[in-house]
Amino acid sequence: MSLLHTAQPLRLYLIERSDTTAWRYANADRAIAWDGHTWEALAISDDGIRLTGEATADEIKITAPAHIPAVQLYRVLPPSTEVFVTVYDYDAATQEAAVCWQGSISAALFPAPGVAELACDSLSASMQREGLRLKYERACPHSVYDHMCGVLKALHAMPVRITALDGISITVARADGGELPPIGSYDYGAAEWQQDGTAELRGIDSSTGVATVRLLGGTYGLAVGQLITLYPGCDGTRQMCADRFGNLLNHGGFPHMPGESIFGKRLW
């Protein structure tokens, strides 16, 4: 890097949605060519890089125009996969840059019309985040298709085409023109499609009629004629695990638990 009195510092922001989709911005008055890419000039800034050693204190807020694609991902609900952010300190005099912060977007706020604030957690904060602990319960605690459940998603995939939507629900037809299985089997399941080079998932809340499912988070981002994949859900009971998936050996519930705590009755 150049000497302080001759330096021309600015910041570069790399926002990565997937291996094939990324956005590059520079808080400059013109586009910057660096690292084999063009970094778009944008009114973008942050509230300062802090390296305190405390993960939560090292979070940053990035302020940017609300219309950019990276912000529009959070317009209604956050994307299914993590969106990573890398901030570089760049010296225009020497055309060199160094990483000064890395993390991911946790939320988007809109404090004023046309303005967005991206709240970003550092990588160390995400690594220190506590996970859920497995406990004893009557229903199966596993999420269907996860590594504990063991059911293969591909064996239950149903490719469909959207024929209608109303903002909350979608109506579908089989992509191959065949007959749909009972639409109720998709309750608690998921709809999946490809977006920006990554899989986008949305949970299915319930179903109605013969071909309509209600999506958690609504139908934003979907369109009539779009091809998606539906996956059946599971209510966590032994019967559904056996009848629908033939996966009883991996059922994680304890249906014969006593109705009273081993520590005695309630004290209040």
Side-chain angles (χ1 to χ4, degrees):
M1 303 291 281
S2 61
L3 296 175
L4 183 61
H5 70 282
T6 61
Q8 300 176 34
L10 55 90
R11 284 241 162 101
L12 304 179
Y13 298 85
L14 171 61
I15 303 177
E16 296 177 280
R17 170 85 159 109
S18 68
D19 292 339
T20 59
T21 303
W23 300 280
R24 295 171 174 84
Y25 303 111
N27 64 344
D29 60 354
R30 69 200 69 182
I32 301 295
W34 179 72
D35 194 32
H37 300 281
T38 298
W39 301 69
E40 177 186 347
L42 191 71
I44 186 171
S45 62
D46 58 69
D47 62 350
I49 305 300
R50 296 171 292 278
L51 300 175
T52 65
E54 296 183 12
T56 55
D58 293 342
E59 299 172 354
I60 67 170
K61 288 184 179 179
I62 297 175
T63 302
H67 71 270
I68 63 174
V71 171
Q72 289 297 304
L73 289 175
Y74 296 82
R75 179 179 172 183
V76 177
L77 69 164
S80 300
T81 54
E82 201 166 11
V83 178
F84 293 96
V85 177
T86 304
V87 182
Y88 298 87
D89 280 330
Y90 176 79
D91 183 5
T94 62
Q95 297 185 351
E96 296 179 356
V99 174
C100 62
W101 191 89
Q102 285 185 302
S104 60
I105 300 174
S106 58
L109 306 175
F110 298 89
V115 178
E117 283 186 355
L118 298 175
C120 303
D121 293 334
S122 66
L123 287 181
S124 57
S126 61
M127 289 188 287
Q128 293 180 20
R129 193 176 299 139
E130 292 186 4
L132 297 176
R133 298 191 178 189
L134 192 62
K135 297 184 178 181
Y136 290 96
E137 55 185 275
R138 288 190 174 89
C140 181
H142 309 323
S143 295
V144 62
Y145 310 118
D146 72 6
H147 70 286
M148 299 289 286
C149 169
V151 174
L152 296 178
K153 284 177 60 178
L155 296 180
H156 300 274
M158 175 56 65
V160 298
R161 188 181 302 276
I162 299 175
T163 59
L165 48 81
D166 60 10
I168 299 176
S169 304
I170 57 172
T171 301
V172 299
R174 277 185 60 153
D176 60 6
E179 184 177 347
L180 280 171
I183 202 68
S185 63
Y186 295 101
D187 291 357
Y188 319 115
E192 182 184 57
W193 63 94
Q194 291 295 312
Q195 181 178 333
D196 297 329
T198 187
E200 188 69 19
L201 281 168
R202 202 159 297 174
I204 295 174
D205 178 38
S206 60
S207 55
T208 58
V210 295
T212 300
V213 294
R214 182 186 181 103
L215 299 180
L216 295 171
T219 62
Y220 175 75
L222 297 172
V224 173
Q226 183 175 348
L227 286 171
I228 65 173
T229 303
L230 298 184
Y231 295 97
C234 181
D235 63 4
T237 63
R238 289 173 60 86
Q239 181 175 353
M240 182 168 290
C241 184
D243 295 347
R244 181 173 294 175
F245 300 103
N247 193 45
L248 192 56
L249 288 176
N250 289 329
H251 189 269
F254 296 85
H256 304 298
M257 290 176 62
E260 183 177 323
S261 170
I262 61 173
F263 299 105
K265 297 182 179 179
R266 291 175 57 179
L267 301 178
W268 61 88

